[in-house]
C-alpha cells in the first residue's frame, strides 16, 4: 500500500467550528479528492457547496450534475480517469444511485459517497434525521456484491472518517460509504484538522510494468490490485458484465462464481483490518449497548444513567458498520446477558446482531422511525429491563 | 336640494382583471367563480413569482376544463410552500411525485383517464426549472415524444431555490448561486451552451409550446386557455423571478419579469407543432444592465469593477434572442433611430 502524507494544498489545518457536512468536504480535500460531482438534496447540500467554494483554491473540480444518477456515474468516469472522487446525497438521491453503485462495485472502482441520512421512505422527512438506509447501503443494488460503510458520530469524525473512507476505497478498490445523518451533518462542533504531514493518505496503486502484462483485475479475494488511468498508455476494458482478469466479458456460471466471491471476500476476508469499533467497559458487562452515528451520542448518557444504578453495562459503537463485526458479536453473545441495539429505524442493524448472537444472549431492539434522536431514558429503561 | 356631480374615475389594470370589461375579456381572477386552486395562506416568500404564476395558470386551466383537473407536481419550492398542513393550499386533486418523474406520473394519470373513457378530466404537470430541465428532463422528453395528453407547466426561477439556491441548467451565465460562487477569474455560473427547454419542446414538434412571464398575466392566462383547447403534449414555460434567490426586492418581482422581456433576455413566444406562431414584441428595448443591476446575484458584475466582458456576453445572448425571434419590430426599431 502506497501511504503518503496529505497534499498540503487540500488541508485547511487548524481548529474550526464547523458542521458535519462541511467537515466531510474538508476531509475529502485532505484525502486528495480533487473531483466532486453532486446534486442538491437536503440535508447534504452543504458538503457540495463547501467543496464548490474550496475547489478553485485547491485546484479541484466541482461539477453540479443534472441528477444523482449522473453524479455517481461521473465519479466512476473520474476514478478511471485517475482522480479520487466523491459525491454526497441523501435518501431519494441514494436510491437513484443504486444501479451505478453496483457498477462501481463490479468494476472495482474506488469512489466515496456520503449519505447524510434523512427520514424515509420516499421524500419522507427531508430536514429530519434517520438511520434508515443502513441495509440499503449494503444491499441496495441488485446482485451479490460488497461495500464498506463508516458511521461518524461527530463533525470531527466526519472529517476523520472521510479521510479513512478514501484510504479504504483505494486499498480495496471499492465504493465506500459515509453513512452519516442529518443531526451530525448539521451539528456544529469543534473540528481539528491536523497538519498535512500528520494525515496519512493511501495513494492509488497504479500499474507500472510492461504494457502486455497489465490486467485490470485479479480475482484473488484481496483488494488493491493495481489500476491504470485513462491516458497512461495501458489498454483496459471495463464492463459491468461478468468479466475475466483482462476485463473482457466472460459470461459463464463459473466466472460469476469467481467474480462475486472475489468482490465479497476481498472485504469480508479483510474485515479484521477494516473494522473499527469503540468499546467502553465491555469486559465483564452484563449488558452491552450497541449503537452508531448520532445514536451513540445519546447512548453515552443512557449508559451513564444505568451505571449510576449499578448495572454492569458496556457500550460498543460501530464506527465501521459494513463489513459487520460478526466475530466480535459472536464473542460477546457468549459473555453477556443481553445486547441492546439502539438505532433510528424500524430495526435494521439489530438483525445482524441477532444473526450473530444466534440465540446465545437476549437481543433487545430499541428503535423508532425517522425524525428524532432517542430519549436517553428509553435506552436506559431497555438496559434495566434486560438485566431483570 | 342641490345635486353634486361626482366625477367617476375608472380604476383597475389589465393585470388584475378589470370587472368593467366584457366578461370574455376579463381575467379569470376577476371571475367570482374562480376556483382559487392554489389558495391563500401558503408559505411562499413575499414577492414569489412562482406562487403568482401558478395561481393564474391553474385557475385558468380549471376554468378551461370546467374544473375537471388533476395536477402532478414535482419536488421543489411550489410543492414545499403549498403543501404542509395546515398551510395546504391546493383545492384540486393533486399528487406530489418525486423530483424527476412528474411528466411520467402525469402520463400515467392521463392514460388511466383514457382507459376509463373520462376524456373530460384533464391533467396538468408542474415543476420548477431543476425538476424540468435537469432531473426530470428524460421523463419530460418521453412525454413529448409519445404526445401524451398532458399540459406541463415549468415555473422557471433559474436555480434550485428550495434547497438553498444552487445552480440548475436554467441558471444564466455569471449568476451567483451557492454552488457557483462569485470567485475566481470567471465568477458566478459558467456560460454554458444554454438549455432552452421551449426550443427543445419545439424540436419534439408537440402540438403547443409557449413561454410567459408573470408581468403579463393575461397573456399567461390566454396561453393556458389555448393549451387547454388542444389535446396531446403541451408545454408552457413561465419565467418567475425569485426575490430570495436572485437578491431582488420583493416588490420588484413584476418589474424584473418585465425587464427580462424588454431586454430580450427572456423571449415570450408561442409555437404549434414545432413552428413559431407568435412572439410578444418588445415595446421599449432596454439594455441588459437595467435587468442585471437590481439583482444581487449579478452584483459582482458591477462591483468593485464593472465586468464589461460578462455584461457584453449577456447582451449578446439577448441580442441573439431578439434576432432569432424577431422580438423588435423593424418599423419600431427604425423609428427609434
Amino acid at each position: 500500500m502506497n501511504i503518503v502524507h496529505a497534499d498540503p494544498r487540500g488541508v485547511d489545518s487548524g481548529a474550526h467550528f464547523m458542521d458535519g457536512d462541511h467537515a466531510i468536504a474538508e476531509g475529502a480535500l485532505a484525502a486528495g479528492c480533487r473531483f466532486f460531482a453532486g446534486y442538491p438534496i437536503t440535508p447534504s447540500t452543504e458538503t457540495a457547496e463547501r467543496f464548490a467554494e474550496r475547489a478553485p483554491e485547491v485546484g479541484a473540480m466541482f461539477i453540479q450534475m443534472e441528477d444523482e444518477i449522473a453524479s455517481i456515474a461521473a465519479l466512476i468516469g473520474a476514478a478511471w480517469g485517475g482522480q479520487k472522487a466523491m459525491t454526497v446525497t441523501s435518501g431519494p438521491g441514494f436510491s437513484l444511485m443504486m444501479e451505478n453503485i453496483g457498477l462501481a462495485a463490479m468494476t472495482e472502482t474506488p469512489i466515496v459517497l456520503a449519505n447524510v441520512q434523512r427520514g424515509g421512505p420516499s421524500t419522507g422527512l427531508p430536514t429530519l434525521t434517520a438511520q434508515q438506509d443502513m441495509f440499503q447501503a449494503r444491499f441496495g443494488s441488485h446482485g451479490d456484491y460488497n461495500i464498506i460503510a463508516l458511521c461518524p458520530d461527530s463533525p470531527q469524525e466526519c472529517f476523520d472518517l472521510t479521510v479513512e473512507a478514501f484510504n479504504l476505497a483505494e486499498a480495496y478498490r471499492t465504493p465506500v460509504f459515509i453513512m452519516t445523518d442529518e443531526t451530525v451533518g448539521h451539528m456544529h462542533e469543534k473540528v481539528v484538522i491536523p497538519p498535512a504531514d500528520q494525515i496519512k493518505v493511501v495513494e492509488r496503486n497504479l500499474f507500472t510494468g510492461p504494457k502486455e502484462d497489465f490486467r485490470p483485475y485479479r480475482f484473488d479475494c484481496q483488494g488493491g490490485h493495481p489500476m491504470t488511468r485513462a491516458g497512461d498508455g495501458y489498454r483496459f476494458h471495463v464492463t459491468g458484465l461478468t468479466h475475466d482478469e483482462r476485463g473482457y466479458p466472460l459470461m459463464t456460471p463459473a466466472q460469476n462464481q469467481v467474480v462475486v466471491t472475489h468482490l465479497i471476500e476481498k472485504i469480508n476476508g479483510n474485515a479484521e483490518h477494516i473494522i473499527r469499533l469503540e468499546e467502553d467497559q465491555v469486559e465483564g458487562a452484563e449488558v452491552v449497548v450497541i449503537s452508531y452515528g448520532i445514536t451513540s451520542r445519546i447512548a453515552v448518557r443512557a449508559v451513564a444513567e444505568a451505571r449510576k444504578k449499578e448495572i454492569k453495562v458496556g457500550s460498543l459503537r460501530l464506527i465501521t458498520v459494513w463489513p459487520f463485526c460478526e466475530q466480535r458479536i459472536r464473542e460477546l453473545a457468549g459473555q453477556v446477558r443481553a445486547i441492546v441495539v439502539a438505532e433510528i429505524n424500524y430495526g435494521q442493524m439489530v438483525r445482524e446482531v441477532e444473526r450473530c448472537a444466534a440465540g446465545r444472549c437476549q437481543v433487545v431492539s430499541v428503535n423508532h422511525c425517522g425524525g428524532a434522536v432517542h430519549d436517553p431514558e428509553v435506552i436506559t429503561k431497555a438496559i434495566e429491563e434486560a438485566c431483570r | 336640494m342641490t345635486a353634486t356631480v361626482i366625477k367617476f374615475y375608472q380604476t383597475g389594470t389589465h393585470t388584475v382583471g378589470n370587472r368593467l370589461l366584457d366578461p370574455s375579456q376579463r381575467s379569470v381572477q376577476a371571475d367570482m367563480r374562480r376556483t382559487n386552486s392554489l389558495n391563500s395562506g401558503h408559505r411562499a416568500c413575499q414577492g414569489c413569482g412562482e406562487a403568482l404564476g401558478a395561481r393564474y395558470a391553474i385557475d385558468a386551466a380549471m376554468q378551461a376544463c370546467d374544473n375537471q383537473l388533476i395536477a402532478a407536481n414535482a419536488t421543489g419550492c411550489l410543492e414545499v410552500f403549498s403543501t404542509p398542513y395546515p398551510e395546504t393550499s391546493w383545492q384540486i386533486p393533486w399528487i406530489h411525485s418525486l423530483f424527476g418523474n412528474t411528466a411520467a406520473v402525469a402520463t400515467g394519470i392521463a392514460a388511466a383517464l383514457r382507459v376509463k373513457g373520462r376524456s373530460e378530466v384533464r391533467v396538468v404537470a408542474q415543476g420548477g426549472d431543476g425538476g424540468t430541465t435537469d432531473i426530470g428532463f428524460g421523463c419530460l422528453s418521453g412525454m413529448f415524444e409519445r404526445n401524451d395528453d398532458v399540459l406541463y407547466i415549468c415555473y422557471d426561477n433559474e436555480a434550485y431555490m428550495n434547497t438553498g439556491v444552487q445552480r440548475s441548467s436554467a441558471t444564466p451565465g455569471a449568476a451567483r448561486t451557492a454552488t457557483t460562487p462569485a470567485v475566481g477569474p470567471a465568477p458566478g455560473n459558467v456560460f454554458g451552451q444554454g438549455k432552452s427547454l421551449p426550443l427543445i419542446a419545439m424540436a419534439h414538434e408537440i402540438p403547443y409550446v409557449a413561454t410567459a412571464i408573470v408581468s403579463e398575466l393575461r397573456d399567461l392566462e390566454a396561453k393556458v386557455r389555448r393549451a387547454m383547447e388542444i389535446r396531446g403534449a403541451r408545454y408552457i414555460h413561465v419565467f418567475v423571478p425569485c426575490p430570495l434567490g436572485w437578491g431582488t426586492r420583493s416588490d420588484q418581482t413584476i418589474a424584473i419579469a418585465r425587464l427580462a422581456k424588454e431586454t430580450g433576455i427572456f423571449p415570450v413566444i408561442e409555437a404549434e407543432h414545432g413552428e413559431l406562431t407568435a412572439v410578444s414584441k418588445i415595446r421599449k428595448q432596454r439594455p441588459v444592465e437595467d435587468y442585471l443591476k437590481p439583482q444581487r446575484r449579478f452584483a459582482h458584475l458591477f462591483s468593485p469593477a464593472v465586468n464589461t466582458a460578462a455584461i457584453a456576453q449577456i447582451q449578446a445572448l439577448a441580442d441573439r434572442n431578439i434576432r432569432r425571434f424577431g422580438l423588435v419590430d423593424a418599423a419600431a426599431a427604425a423609428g427609434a433611430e
Side-chain angles (χ1 to χ4, degrees):
Chain A
M1 223 184 293
N2 185 14
I3 300 172
V4 299
H5 295 311
D7 174 2
R9 267 201 310 173
V11 183
D12 192 7
S13 301
H16 303 261
F17 186 63
M18 64 168 67
D19 68 12
D21 282 357
H22 285 150
I24 289 171
E26 291 300 334
L29 290 166
C33 172
R34 294 292 178 268
F35 181 81
F36 191 114
Y39 189 73
I41 185 162
T42 306
S44 74
T45 314
E46 293 85 350
T47 307
E49 291 177 358
R50 177 85 172 190
F51 200 98
E53 198 180 338
R54 292 266 280 129
E57 60 196 60
V58 177
M61 172 163 271
F62 170 84
I63 305 181
Q64 193 183 314
M65 302 298 288
E66 65 270 30
D67 57 27
E68 286 91 349
I69 298 174
S71 300
I72 190 158
L75 302 194
I76 295 172
W80 283 97
Q83 289 288 9
K84 291 185 178 179
M86 94 167 292
T87 190
V88 62
T89 191
S90 189
F94 199 47
S95 292
L96 283 174
M97 291 179 177
M98 283 302 145
E99 188 185 12
N100 277 276
I101 287 168
L103 178 62
M106 183 59 145
T107 55
E108 300 188 53
T109 307
I111 58 170
V112 173
L113 190 166
N115 177 357
V116 187
Q117 295 175 84
R118 67 190 218 187
S122 192
T123 313
L125 301 168
T127 58
L128 300 175
T129 198
Q131 297 178 315
Q132 294 172 316
D133 307 345
M134 303 311 295
F135 267 48
Q136 190 186 19
R138 174 65 185 83
F139 300 107
S141 195
H142 59 277
D144 287 320
Y145 64 101
N146 210 345
I147 50 86
I148 296 172
L150 311 173
C151 207
D153 74 345
S154 66
Q156 178 67 51
E157 220 172 56
C158 284
F159 175 86
D160 298 340
L161 292 188
T162 303
V163 175
E164 180 157 333
F166 275 96
N167 291 346
L168 290 166
E170 296 300 333
Y172 296 99
R173 271 184 63 179
T174 179
V176 179
F177 302 140
I178 300 152
M179 298 298 290
T180 180
D181 59 77
E182 186 277 333
T183 311
V184 172
H186 286 163
M187 175 198 288
H188 278 77
E189 282 185 347
K190 186 176 180 180
V191 174
V192 178
I193 299 179
D197 60 9
Q198 289 174 26
I199 300 173
K200 282 184 184 164
V201 166
V202 176
E203 286 295 273
R204 185 156 301 167
N205 188 7
L206 292 171
F207 188 76
T208 52
K211 285 184 180 172
E212 60 274 18
D213 290 352
F214 176 67
R215 299 284 182 275
Y217 301 105
R218 189 172 65 225
F219 304 119
D220 57 359
C221 296
Q222 292 299 319
H225 182 65
M227 286 177 78
T228 189
R229 296 179 292 207
D232 276 5
Y234 293 99
R235 180 170 178 170
F236 68 91
H237 187 104
V238 174
T239 175
L241 288 164
T242 301
H243 44 268
D244 63 18
E245 296 196 341
R246 298 168 301 175
Y248 296 136
L250 177 57
M251 290 169 288
T252 63
Q255 189 62 14
N256 194 253
Q257 181 76 28
V258 168
V259 173
V260 171
T261 303
H262 167 71
L263 293 180
I264 290 177
E265 293 307 324
K266 72 175 179 181
I267 291 169
N268 283 2
N270 286 301
E272 58 179 313
H273 305 300
I274 297 170
I275 291 172
R276 278 179 54 196
L277 305 171
E278 187 179 89
E279 297 189 4
D280 177 43
Q281 298 184 35
V282 170
E283 293 309 318
E286 279 184 69
V287 179
V288 168
V289 176
I290 294 182
S291 59
Y292 52 90
I294 187 60
T295 309
S296 328
R297 302 285 290 265
I298 313 302
V300 168
R301 166 87 174 270
V303 167
E305 291 298 320
R307 282 178 187 157
K308 278 185 199 164
K309 297 176 183 174
E310 307 207 331
I311 299 171
K312 286 185 184 168
V313 56
S315 77
L316 188 152
R317 176 162 79 90
L318 307 176
I319 299 172
T320 310
V321 180
W322 301 110
F324 186 68
C325 50
E326 299 180 353
Q327 189 55 37
R328 186 67 182 129
I329 301 301
R330 286 197 190 101
E331 288 164 16
L332 286 177
Q335 297 166 11
V336 301
R337 282 175 66 176
I339 297 176
V340 173
V341 184
E343 50 188 342
I344 309 171
N345 53 46
Y346 206 72
Q348 294 191 7
M349 297 312 292
V350 69
R351 289 162 169 261
E352 283 292 276
V353 176
E354 280 170 350
R355 179 175 67 82
C356 298
R360 291 193 297 145
C361 72
Q362 192 192 347
V363 177
V364 181
S365 180
V366 185
N367 65 68
H368 62 245
C369 295
V373 297
H374 287 74
D375 183 338
E377 284 165 23
V378 175
I379 304 174
T380 312
K381 202 171 151 213
I383 296 168
E384 288 174 47
E385 279 173 12
C387 289
R388 284 207 192 115
Chain B
M1 189 178 158
T2 57
T4 307
V5 178
I6 299 170
K7 277 191 179 174
F8 178 74
Y9 293 98
Q10 183 174 321
T11 58
T13 68
H14 285 278
T15 309
V16 295
N18 192 330
R19 294 201 175 109
L20 298 175
L21 287 172
D22 182 80
S24 66
Q25 292 183 305
R26 286 178 198 168
S27 163
V28 177
Q29 298 301 320
D31 188 336
M32 294 297 277
R33 292 162 302 169
R34 71 177 186 271
T35 48
N36 291 324
S37 308
L38 176 60
N39 213 347
S40 57
H42 54 65
R43 301 173 165 190
C45 308
Q46 280 190 354
C48 174
E50 187 170 32
L52 183 64
R55 179 180 169 84
Y56 273 74
I58 301 301
D59 276 350
M62 282 285 274
Q63 192 188 60
C65 64
D66 203 17
N67 302 343
Q68 299 289 303
L69 188 69
I70 298 175
N73 208 128
T75 304
C77 271
L78 180 61
E79 171 255 325
V80 167
F81 76 63
S82 65
T83 60
Y85 187 81
E87 292 101 7
T88 314
S89 288
W90 293 101
Q91 308 296 317
I92 57 173
W94 184 97
I95 178 171
H96 171 217
S97 62
L98 297 173
F99 205 175
N101 63 352
T102 314
V105 169
T107 289
I109 299 169
L113 291 169
R114 187 172 160 192
V115 169
K116 288 162 70 180
R118 297 286 305 275
S119 62
E120 78 284 7
V121 183
R122 308 297 298 274
V123 184
V124 65
Q126 317 177 80
D129 51 292
T132 304
T133 69
D134 285 344
I135 191 169
F137 184 64
C139 288
L140 182 61
S141 178
M143 186 201 104
F144 288 163
E145 187 273 328
R146 293 183 301 267
N147 199 25
D148 295 323
D149 188 17
V150 175
L151 167 60
Y152 191 104
I153 304 176
C154 169
Y155 303 102
D156 177 9
N157 57 18
E158 302 193 327
Y160 292 87
M161 301 313 183
N162 172 42
T163 46
V165 197
Q166 294 84 21
R167 82 169 283 268
S168 76
S169 56
T171 302
R176 181 202 66 194
T177 70
T179 48
T180 58
V183 295
N189 192 31
V190 290
F191 284 88
Q193 292 297 300
K195 189 169 184 178
S196 167
L197 233 294
L199 287 177
I200 294 169
M202 283 169 66
H204 287 75
E205 302 191 359
I206 56 173
Y208 186 74
V209 175
T211 65
I213 49 176
V214 288
S215 53
E216 293 181 13
L217 289 162
R218 305 297 302 281
D219 179 63
L220 169 60
E221 287 182 332
K223 284 168 174 166
V224 171
R225 234 178 347 260
R226 174 71 189 128
M228 294 297 285
E229 288 167 7
I230 299 168
R231 294 283 174 166
R234 292 142 288 145
Y235 180 73
I236 298 180
H237 192 103
V238 191
F239 185 85
V240 293
C242 169
L244 185 76
W246 296 9
T248 51
R249 277 172 36 196
S250 56
D251 63 356
Q252 293 298 302
T253 298
I254 301 297
I256 295 287
R258 188 174 293 126
L259 281 165
K261 186 202 158 203
E262 296 294 297
T263 51
I265 295 255
F266 187 82
V268 180
I269 60 163
E270 231 175 339
E272 296 193 12
H273 301 288
E275 303 276 356
L276 200 63
T277 52
V279 299
S280 183
K281 300 281 185 187
I282 291 173
R283 274 169 282 197
K284 188 180 169 200
Q285 196 184 343
R286 307 274 289 272
V288 293
E289 284 96 326
D290 291 3
Y291 168 74
L292 302 173
K293 259 186 188 159
Q295 304 183 44
R296 275 204 306 281
R297 63 175 174 159
F298 294 114
H300 57 279
L301 298 182
F302 300 97
S303 170
V306 178
N307 186 341
T308 46
I311 295 170
Q313 211 169 345
I314 296 167
Q315 184 65 58
L317 292 171
D319 291 345
R320 192 188 63 182
N321 281 338
I322 291 168
R323 244 187 352 266
R324 176 185 273 170
F325 298 105
L327 298 178
V328 174
D329 260 333
E337 282 161 14

